Amino acid sequence: MAAASIEDIKLEDITVDDIDFSDLEKQFQVDSEVNFDNFVVVDGAPVAPESKVPVLSKVLGKLFSQAGKVVDINLPLDEAKKTTKGYLFVEFDSALSARKAIKLLNGKKLDAKHRLFVNGLSDVEKFGSDDFESEFRQPKLPEFQATDYLKSWLQDEQGRDQFVLQKGELTGVFWNRNTQQPENAVEPRSNWSNTTVKFSPKGTYLFSFHNQGVASWGGKNFERLRRYFHPQAKAMAISPTEKYLVTLSPDPISVPQDAGEDFPFGPESNGHQLCVWDIATGVSVKTFALPPNQSLHWPMIKWSFDDKYCARLGPNALAVYDAENNFELLGGKILKIENIMDFSFAPAGVKLAVNRNGELSSVLAFWTPESNNQSCKATIMEIPTRRVLRTVNLVQVSDVTLHWQKQAEYLCVKVDRHSKSKKTFFTNLEICKLTEKDVPVEKVEMKDLALKFSWEPTGQRFVTISRTETLDDNPSIPKNVVTFYAPEQKEKTKDDTNDDAKKWKAFATVTGKFSNTISWSPAGRFVIVATLVTPDTRKADFDFYDLDYTGEKNENTEDDVAANLKAVAHPDFYGATDLQWDPSGRFVAVWSSAVKHKLENGYKVFTVTGEVIREEMIENFKNFVWRPRPESLLTNGERKKVRKNLREWSAQFEELDAMQADSAMRELILLRRSLLEEWINYREESTENMRDAYNYEVFDQVEFSTAAEDSEVVEEIKEEILEEKEEVVDSFEEPATSE
Amino acid sequence: MRPILLKGHERSLTQVKFNREGDLIFSCAKDSVASVWYAINGERLGTFEGHQGTIWSIDVDKFTKYTVTGSADFSIKLWDIETGQNVYTWKTKTPVRRVEFSPSGDKFLAVLDGVMGYPGSVTVYELPRDAQTHQLSQEPSEEPLFNIMTQEGFDIAAVAAWSFLDQYIAVGHKDGRVSKYDGATGEFIDALELHTQSVSDVQFSPDGTYFITSSRDSDAKLVDIETLEVLKTYETDCPLNSACITPLKQFVILGGGQDAKDVTTTSSREGKFEARLYHKIFQDEIGRVKGHFGPLNCVAVSPQGTSYASGGEDGFVRLHHFDKSYFDFKYDVEKSFEAQKHMQELESNA
């Protein structure tokens, strides 16, 4: 059979697989290396004759190389007119340069007639396609999802506090039940957080760390509220009014090209590491790049007391942002402060003397070290006015720390100074009185270097831990000194007009300690000065002090102060690594965390007087976190009333405690309650019946008559011989009668 | 609580009583001499001498003017407290087991034993008094105002007491029954089978609206006089001779112990010769007071509720002034109730 002619071969007979397309494939293969992100489309360029093309390319090439390395410029020609078409394509070496070119040159006026429009090639494709809908469509709002009542824990009938315990992989939230086994608030969960968990400052939210970021939890059952996508987030901080969350990740954010609507960051966040979130909505409101070569101070963003402003430290500058205005820089620019070392916001609104209507100001303080011709300075500044309220000049300074009193009435600038020879170190405390006119400063000079400083949360007293300088540097000799300070109480004299000159006075010292931690009860009055286990200290110890001791013998060395010190307890917990007061200031939790060492892991809860009410030694115990509470809503008057009726309240609470102790007791108390009620009803009924039937008033006891005629004074005379003496008289001369 | 020992009687005590002001204690014993003592220090103020036999019962009127004694010598004697003089004597057919002034002081009752063919009775005598001085205005009548003879089917009366406003007489019978009579006419009103053994004491609350009974069956019971409803029961482990209701605090004091005839064969520890304090409302025992070395024959509490006295088979009266812990003692339930009440008052005042 002869070969089939070409006509005989029917197209249908050829199977597609048999054809070798490789040559075609090769010809039309799209170079996968080509990244369209590297291209920009430029519109609005001059229409130039063919002869001018090299010149035009050169000019444009120069212009675009501002953004990055230009790989190629393609100026298409109109074959008919022999001119350029007025648009061109520029290829850059990287997408980053292309983006930069768009940002930099889009809208650039080339000359009076020509304005360049620079767009990414992919954008042109995307937005220029016929499929692209150009009509505005209302974005769909996600349906509102109600959360549990986030403050439900405050409605506990017995007003109990919650705390978190973490052991091994398990994290649980519990109700504090005093001496009894804590009650689960939720079932303990495993791997709730990669590391620790953190409550927001008022206790509304609980945050957990995950690989993908941070999550918030709340409500009665601690359901998940929001996720804050920030991969590898390692640190978090929450603003004072619980509005914003700040997260930090070592991995810079990279925004993928096809980032969907759900992706929290816009392209401007690329490369940023610090992120601010709106806690309630879960929306990223601002991201920041980290300034280069800066040591990490956490928190990196600090907030004013009302969350209206936040600020962060930059090199030789402080950047203050207006949180209510889209986190714009306050006044449009950063604050240039040469060599600024540290700053902090006042933790509360300050009632400045100049604020006549009693409004509260946001205040921040910062310090700068000695430089060429400048002395070391601490500066107090009002925000947003940037008015400097006070500058404190300091000399021979080695370090400065800022300590705000919780009500922000005082700022203590702790100045660690050195002698000229830089051989001895000592501390001065410069206490700024913010509420007084011109912010006067009171100086307290210490002999030694203060390691720790802590204000009483509700008062004007403070405690320091300092180290005595000795030649012997044997670390096993305790050298720390705990000093208690209180404002001097002056005798009220007639000419006592200068009420402002409040002086602080050390009224007691305790020497020979290793103490490294001062922890005040949130309610004030009680303070724990503790030695916690750190790499340098082996054995923890605790000293509980009462500063308003009502007993006879106090441990004051000075009398004219508003304080009566008494060491009330020294409970043992040798392995303790951390401690935290409960929000009410009645209990303090001390624990030994397996994260820090493996000895004696577990926790103990003490009362203010150092009595252990709970004690659990748990292998691999990690963390104990009290749930904070918002500030009390009671007015001062209401508080006073509660204090007045304290006995009545405590009687009721004691009964509740007894009822909780065990169920049998509970039954008994309920029974007694009903018996008592029954009896009272019986007596009331009796009273009524007797009144109705016999006009007779019932009574429970016969008063002793106090009428004088009915009583008689009984006098008892007791004779007692005090001394008996016997004397022998030798001679007895009778008086001469004759004379 | 340090007791004051009133040593003056030579034989076992039969009854102790406080006057209305609580500053005097009257006691009588089997030795035929009644005594009156200062409550403050236990000093004897005087004696009432004249009976020929055991004085079973003594009472003082609310004016602390007269005292009345009932004796086994078949007589009742009225004494002037100030002088200690015997003012009047009533002859009775049988020994007198119990005497008690009515709350008004115008009458007194006497429980007459049912012996020698006499069926036993609660007999009420009248005392004509001057309205101002409360002194006898004339010689009392020797004849009783009325007799409540022991009813058919009832055992004889052992003890009796007056209710509020002289309204009722509550009688405790030897068979454990309690009966109620009209205080003006002696008419029978109601009866209740309360105890299984003889009722040993009946004492009213300060206002006379409810009373406590004690019985040889080891129980004490709180009964409302109007309805004869049993309000509370206090169970003990020994025969009871006496019970009283404390004013001021919601307690009752019960006294008793092993039978007198067995006393010599038991130690004081086993004899349960202790006064027992029970919570009146919750019916729990809250304390015991030791001291007597024979059974307690009678207990009495001052009308102010600040002290109590017990008279024992051992011949002593032990007088106890309560101390702070007694007044402070409260159940959590009571404390919280008072606290709530106090706060409500403050609330309503505000």
Side-chain angles (χ1 to χ4, degrees):
Chain A
M1 199 168 145
S5 71
I6 200 88
E7 285 80 25
D8 290 339
I9 303 171
K10 286 192 182 130
L11 200 62
E12 296 86 39
D13 293 342
I14 304 169
T15 53
V16 178
D17 293 346
D18 289 349
I19 307 172
D20 181 11
F21 286 119
S22 60
D23 51 340
L24 289 172
E25 268 176 13
K26 201 168 181 183
Q27 192 184 336
F28 293 103
Q29 191 192 16
V30 177
D31 187 358
S32 61
E33 296 294 301
V34 174
N35 187 349
F36 291 106
D37 286 343
N38 295 0
F39 289 89
V40 294
V41 181
V42 183
D43 217 342
V47 176
E50 201 176 358
S51 56
K52 292 274 178 68
V53 166
V55 184
L56 188 58
S57 310
K58 201 175 164 190
V59 169
L60 291 171
K62 203 170 173 186
L63 184 69
F64 281 98
S65 58
Q66 283 176 11
K69 196 180 170 203
V70 175
V71 176
D72 185 29
I73 291 183
N74 184 352
L75 276 160
L77 290 178
D78 190 323
E79 297 295 335
K81 291 183 191 164
K82 300 281 177 206
T83 57
T84 59
K85 287 186 169 177
Y87 58 82
L88 61 146
F89 303 95
V90 183
E91 186 186 355
F92 286 98
D93 65 332
S94 72
L96 195 71
S97 309
R99 268 203 300 277
K100 203 170 166 192
I102 294 165
K103 209 173 169 185
L104 205 66
L105 298 170
N106 189 20
K108 169 96 181 164
K109 268 190 167 177
L110 206 58
D111 53 43
K113 282 184 199 160
H114 298 97
R115 184 193 275 263
L116 297 181
F117 297 101
V118 185
N119 287 298
L121 187 60
S122 43
D123 286 349
V124 171
E125 247 176 39
K126 184 176 159 198
F127 298 119
S129 89
D130 291 338
D131 301 339
F132 188 76
E133 190 131 3
S134 57
E135 225 165 272
F136 174 72
R137 257 199 294 165
Q138 191 83 31
K140 244 196 211 160
L141 284 175
E143 211 162 300
F144 173 72
Q145 282 187 334
T147 59
D148 263 1
Y149 181 47
L150 296 181
K151 296 195 159 131
S152 55
W153 97 100
L154 295 172
Q155 294 174 321
D156 181 50
E157 267 182 38
Q158 293 147 42
R160 297 173 300 182
D161 279 306
Q162 288 189 339
F163 58 82
V164 167
L165 293 182
Q166 291 187 289
K167 74 160 205 198
E169 303 304 321
L170 279 178
T171 301
V173 185
F174 301 89
W175 291 104
N176 176 28
R177 298 205 302 163
N178 212 329
T179 52
Q180 293 165 62
Q181 184 75 31
E183 182 188 323
N184 282 358
V186 288
E187 272 302 308
R189 302 172 187 174
S190 73
N191 296 315
W192 195 341
S193 175
N194 278 359
T195 54
T196 176
V197 292
K198 197 175 163 110
F199 277 109
S200 58
K202 295 177 195 296
T204 313
Y205 304 97
L206 179 71
F207 292 94
S208 58
F209 285 102
H210 305 276
N211 290 342
Q212 290 304 307
V214 169
S216 62
W217 310 77
K220 193 164 161 277
N221 299 317
F222 283 91
E223 271 146 19
R224 185 168 61 213
L225 304 172
R226 295 282 170 199
R227 278 187 273 205
Y228 311 91
F229 174 78
H230 196 184
Q232 305 306 326
K234 285 288 175 283
M236 71 168 100
I238 301 125
S239 70
T241 68
E242 304 184 329
K243 206 159 160 20
Y244 303 105
L245 166 74
V246 182
T247 54
L248 173 75
S249 166
D251 296 356
I253 296 167
S254 94
V255 183
Q257 207 41 239
D258 54 350
E261 275 177 44
D262 293 341
F263 197 74
F265 306 111
E268 71 283 353
S269 296
N270 250 329
H272 289 182
Q273 285 171 268
L274 195 59
C275 188
V276 183
W277 306 84
D278 186 299
I279 291 175
T281 61
V283 170
S284 153
V285 289
K286 183 80 180 171
T287 56
F288 297 104
L290 290 191
N293 312 323
Q294 196 186 359
S295 59
L296 283 179
H297 282 286
W298 192 255
M300 298 184 74
I301 296 181
K302 293 177 186 172
W303 301 85
S304 70
F305 74 100
D306 52 6
D307 277 2
K308 282 188 180 163
Y309 306 99
C310 64
R312 63 191 191 111
L313 208 57
N316 295 324
L318 184 66
V320 184
Y321 301 91
D322 186 345
E324 286 180 338
N325 187 15
N326 235 343
F327 286 86
E328 294 289 329
L329 272 171
L330 191 68
K333 57 185 182 208
I334 55 170
L335 271 167
K336 284 265 176 217
I337 302 163
E338 205 63 33
N339 289 330
I340 180 167
M341 296 295 285
D342 195 12
F343 79 102
S344 63
F345 272 103
V350 181
K351 219 183 261 177
L352 294 170
V354 289
N355 295 359
R356 299 209 182 270
N357 301 328
E359 69 264 40
L360 300 174
S361 299
S362 294
V363 169
L364 62 80
F366 58 86
W367 75 279
T368 51
E370 269 164 296
S371 60
N372 297 339
N373 44 12
Q374 291 269 326
S375 65
C376 173
K377 270 186 205 159
T379 309
I380 303 171
M381 183 184 272
E382 191 189 19
I383 294 294
T385 59
R386 284 183 271 179
R387 182 157 50 111
V388 172
L389 301 172
R390 175 81 204 212
T391 306
V392 187
N393 287 307
L394 310 159
V395 286
Q396 290 172 9
V397 174
S398 46
D399 195 13
V400 171
T401 47
L402 305 166
H403 301 271
W404 289 94
Q405 186 226 19
K406 203 177 157 210
Q407 280 86 27
E409 284 170 40
Y410 306 102
L411 166 68
C412 174
V413 182
K414 183 170 88 73
V415 188
D416 296 341
R417 300 183 56 196
H418 49 78
S419 60
K420 275 204 173 123
S421 61
K422 297 207 176 181
K423 270 187 185 151
T424 53
F425 292 88
F426 56 97
T427 296
N428 282 354
L429 304 172
E430 309 267 352
I431 301 173
C432 308
K433 301 170 198 169
L434 283 118
T435 52
E436 290 173 25
K437 191 167 172 277
D438 298 332
V439 191
V441 175
E442 172 67 36
K443 190 181 208 166
V444 178
E445 293 186 0
M446 296 177 68
K447 281 191 229 80
D448 306 320
L449 188 67
L451 310 172
K452 297 281 170 180
F453 175 96
S454 184
W455 282 105
E456 182 177 18
T458 56
Q460 305 166 346
R461 300 178 285 202
F462 58 85
V463 179
T464 60
I465 299 175
S466 55
R467 175 163 294 165
T468 44
E469 293 272 338
T470 50
L471 293 171
D472 190 352
D473 53 359
N474 182 349
S476 62
I477 297 173
K479 278 184 284 196
N480 290 359
V481 179
V482 183
T483 314
F484 298 84
Y485 290 85
E488 196 171 4
Q489 240 180 0
K490 275 181 295 187
E491 298 278 318
K492 282 270 177 216
T493 53
K494 274 179 207 160
D495 50 21
D496 190 7
T497 48
N498 194 2
D499 200 45
D500 301 346
K502 189 175 276 166
K503 280 197 162 74
W504 275 268
K505 207 167 163 181
F507 66 90
T509 47
V510 180
T511 55
K513 303 296 290 184
F514 285 114
S515 308
N516 54 18
T517 310
I518 307 167
S519 181
W520 283 92
S521 153
R525 178 170 171 179
F526 292 94
V527 63
I528 296 173
V529 180
T531 313
L532 292 176
V533 173
T534 63
D536 306 332
T537 46
R538 289 264 185 85
K539 198 178 111 185
D541 83 76
F542 300 90
D543 296 325
F544 286 52
Y545 294 99
D546 180 355
L547 267 76
D548 290 318
Y549 182 64
T550 49
E552 290 275 299
K553 279 187 186 162
N554 61 37
E555 287 157 23
N556 285 13
T557 51
E558 301 284 339
D559 289 332
D560 46 355
V561 290
N564 284 308
L565 184 79
K566 177 83 177 174
V568 286
H570 308 274
D572 288 336
F573 191 175
Y574 299 129
T577 57
D578 299 272
L579 81 141
Q580 192 191 13
W581 285 89
D582 87 316
S584 70
R586 291 172 300 163
F587 304 111
V588 61
V590 178
W591 66 98
S592 164
S593 169
V595 178
K596 297 188 178 161
H597 67 174
K598 302 286 179 198
L599 283 173
E600 218 189 346
N601 292 147
Y603 73 90
K604 292 187 186 185
V605 180
F606 297 104
T607 63
V608 283
T609 50
E611 203 180 317
V612 182
I613 57 162
R614 276 211 62 77
E615 182 171 2
E616 270 190 283
M617 290 302 129
I618 301 165
E619 208 175 306
N620 211 5
F621 181 81
K622 284 184 174 162
N623 217 353
F624 189 111
V625 193
W626 287 103
R627 187 172 197 173
R629 275 173 179 273
E631 257 175 62
S632 166
L633 297 173
L634 294 182
T635 62
N636 273 341
E638 283 166 324
R639 271 169 217 248
K640 225 175 178 176
K641 217 165 116 195
V642 171
R643 260 198 290 272
K644 216 175 108 194
N645 293 336
L646 211 53
R647 264 185 44 204
E648 279 71 26
W649 283 111
S650 67
Q652 293 176 57
F653 293 148
E654 264 160 33
E655 190 194 30
L656 277 179
D657 285 351
M659 267 173 89
Q660 262 173 18
D662 66 294
S663 58
M665 193 63 184
R666 189 187 157 80
E667 291 302 309
L668 196 60
I669 286 177
L670 288 177
L671 172 73
R672 283 183 185 150
R673 258 191 210 171
S674 70
L675 284 175
L676 185 61
E677 207 164 305
E678 212 174 84
W679 179 259
I680 287 160
N681 288 342
Y682 161 71
R683 285 300 282 169
E684 275 172 4
E685 231 168 83
S686 253
T687 309
E688 231 161 88
N689 290 345
M690 288 294 142
R691 208 177 278 158
D692 293 351
Y694 307 103
N695 193 24
Y696 178 69
E697 289 296 327
V698 304
F699 55 91
D700 284 328
Q701 81 194 76
V702 179
E703 295 298 333
F704 192 88
S705 171
T706 48
E709 66 210 64
D710 286 355
S711 62
E712 186 190 335
V713 178
V714 180
E715 260 182 62
E716 242 183 288
I717 298 165
K718 275 191 182 171
E719 278 182 20
E720 211 174 316
I721 297 164
L722 294 174
E723 202 179 1
E724 260 184 332
K725 241 188 200 172
E726 210 170 287
E727 263 181 68
V728 181
V729 184
D730 293 340
S731 61
F732 188 75
E733 247 178 78
E734 277 201 35
T737 48
S738 56
E739 280 180 9
Chain B
M1 203 161 57
R2 224 186 140 84
I4 300 171
L5 224 58
L6 311 189
K7 297 180 196 164
H9 291 285
E10 282 159 15
R11 291 196 57 198
S12 37
L13 269 290
T14 49
Q15 199 167 21
V16 286
K17 274 275 165 79
F18 280 89
N19 67 337
R20 189 182 160 81
E21 279 72 26
D23 60 342
L24 295 177
I25 296 170
F26 295 81
S27 63
C28 57
K30 291 184 179 168
D31 60 5
S32 77
V33 175
S35 297
V36 55
W37 318 74
Y38 284 114
I40 188 76
N41 56 6
E43 198 183 319
R44 181 142 71 174
L45 178 63
T47 52
F48 305 106
E49 289 172 41
H51 276 298
Q52 304 296 314
T54 296
I55 305 175
W56 284 118
S57 180
I58 189 165
D59 196 23
V60 52
D61 64 5
K62 71 166 175 179
F63 314 108
T64 319
K65 203 95 211 157
Y66 298 111
T67 176
V68 66
T69 50
S71 165
D73 65 359
F74 296 53
S75 73
I76 299 162
K77 283 181 190 290
L78 189 71
W79 313 81
D80 185 300
I81 295 169
E82 218 170 328
T83 61
Q85 293 303 306
N86 180 201
V87 182
Y88 193 80
T89 303
W90 289 267
K91 290 269 169 232
T92 57
K93 292 192 184 77
T94 52
V96 183
R97 284 292 180 169
R98 180 60 71 110
V99 284
E100 189 176 300
F101 282 109
S102 70
S104 69
D106 297 340
K107 298 176 258 198
F108 70 86
L109 63 76
V111 176
L112 303 187
D113 219 346
V115 289
M116 303 187 332
Y118 186 71
S121 68
V122 177
T123 304
V124 175
Y125 295 91
E126 214 171 1
L127 290 176
R129 285 184 194 244
D130 182 280
Q132 292 298 314
T133 61
H134 311 303
Q135 253 161 353
L136 283 180
S137 54
Q138 62 187 82
E139 182 132 314
S141 159
E142 197 179 349
E143 287 307 307
L145 191 62
F146 57 83
N147 273 312
I148 302 167
M149 301 308 288
T150 307
Q151 275 183 287
E152 199 120 335
F154 287 14
D155 206 339
I156 58 162
V159 286
W162 292 93
S163 80
F164 64 95
L165 298 175
D166 309 3
Q167 191 69 30
Y168 305 111
I169 294 169
V171 177
H173 295 263
K174 290 253 181 192
D175 55 5
R177 211 185 296 259
V178 166
S179 54
K180 176 173 132 183
Y181 302 86
D182 188 304
T185 62
E187 203 179 316
F188 172 77
I189 299 172
D190 204 357
L192 177 69
E193 283 176 23
L194 193 67
H195 291 285
T196 55
Q197 289 182 45
S198 176
V199 178
S200 52
D201 198 6
V202 173
Q203 291 194 32
F204 268 91
S205 67
D207 63 357
T209 58
Y210 59 99
F211 60 91
I212 189 165
T213 60
S214 64
S215 166
R216 305 294 298 161
D217 69 2
S218 306
D219 284 357
K221 299 200 183 200
L222 207 65
V223 183
D224 181 63
I225 184 64
E226 198 68 18
T227 60
L228 283 195
E229 188 191 335
V230 180
L231 302 169
K232 303 283 171 191
T233 301
Y234 312 97
E235 289 171 12
T236 71
D237 55 358
C238 68
L240 293 178
N241 292 331
S242 187
C244 60
I245 299 162
T246 66
L248 193 65
K249 301 292 287 184
Q250 306 278 29
F251 303 145
V252 295
I253 302 172
L254 316 178
Q258 208 103 37
D259 241 331
K261 63 175 191 281
D262 302 328
V263 166
T264 49
T265 62
T266 47
S267 76
S268 72
R269 191 161 47 83
E270 283 166 30
K272 308 191 169 78
F273 309 136
E274 295 152 325
R276 292 134 194 268
L277 267 77
Y278 277 67
H279 197 280
K280 183 170 76 187
I281 299 167
F282 305 139
Q283 303 165 115
D284 303 335
E285 181 172 332
I286 52 178
R288 290 185 185 200
V289 184
K290 288 191 288 194
H292 283 290
F293 46 90
L296 280 72
N297 286 341
C298 46
V299 287
V301 64
S302 77
Q304 289 69 40
T306 54
S307 49
Y308 91 93
S310 55
E313 187 70 18
D314 56 9
F316 295 122
V317 175
R318 297 177 78 88
L319 167 67
H320 303 81
H321 293 294
F322 295 122
D323 45 30
K324 192 167 176 301
S325 61
Y326 170 89
F327 299 112
D328 288 347
F329 176 84
K330 267 174 200 155
Y331 279 80
D332 283 344
V333 176
E334 293 176 283
K335 280 189 207 162
S336 101
F337 176 80
E338 280 170 24
Q340 278 169 15
K341 208 169 129 192
H342 179 72
M343 282 166 76
Q344 274 166 12
E345 276 167 20
L346 284 181
E347 210 59 38
S348 58
N349 289 347

